[in-house]
């Protein structure tokens, strides 16, 4: 069964949070580096809201990752 949109957003958020902590960055620091608001980053990490693909891609790129779409 495919994951729901909420599950996917929560999984992405948890991964971003883990990577941020691994790099020992605060939410404010990562948000600033990614060029987004710290509120937006908090929402992404909590799995709430509906972040744009572009916003998520910015955060991932800041962490040295990329967004990959798989079939």
């Amino acid at each position: 069964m495919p994951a729901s949109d909420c599950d996917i957003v929560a999984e992405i958020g948890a991964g971003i949070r883990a990577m941020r902590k691994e790099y020992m960055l605060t939410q404010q620091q990562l948000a600033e580096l990614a060029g987004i608001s710290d509120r937006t980053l908090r929402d992404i990490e909590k799995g709430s809201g509906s972040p744009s693909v572009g916003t998520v891609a910015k955060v991932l790129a800041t962490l040295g990752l990329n967004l990959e779409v798989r079939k």
Side-chain angles (χ1 to χ4, degrees):
M1 178 186 336
S4 74
D5 290 347
C6 291
D7 293 340
I8 293 167
V9 171
E11 185 177 337
I12 291 169
I16 288 172
R17 182 173 190 234
M19 289 296 297
R20 175 181 60 77
K21 288 185 171 216
E22 188 175 314
Y23 286 118
M24 295 184 280
L25 294 169
T26 65
Q27 286 178 327
Q28 186 174 8
Q29 290 169 325
L30 178 55
E32 187 174 314
L33 290 169
I36 64 171
S37 73
D38 54 338
R39 172 65 187 237
T40 298
L41 182 59
R42 276 196 304 273
D43 288 346
I44 291 170
E45 287 189 1
K46 287 189 319 189
S48 62
S50 299
S52 72
V53 172
T55 298
V56 172
K58 278 192 217 179
V59 176
L60 292 174
T62 302
L63 293 169
L65 304 170
N66 62 32
L67 185 60
E68 182 179 313
V69 178
R70 297 183 190 173
K71 259 171 94 159

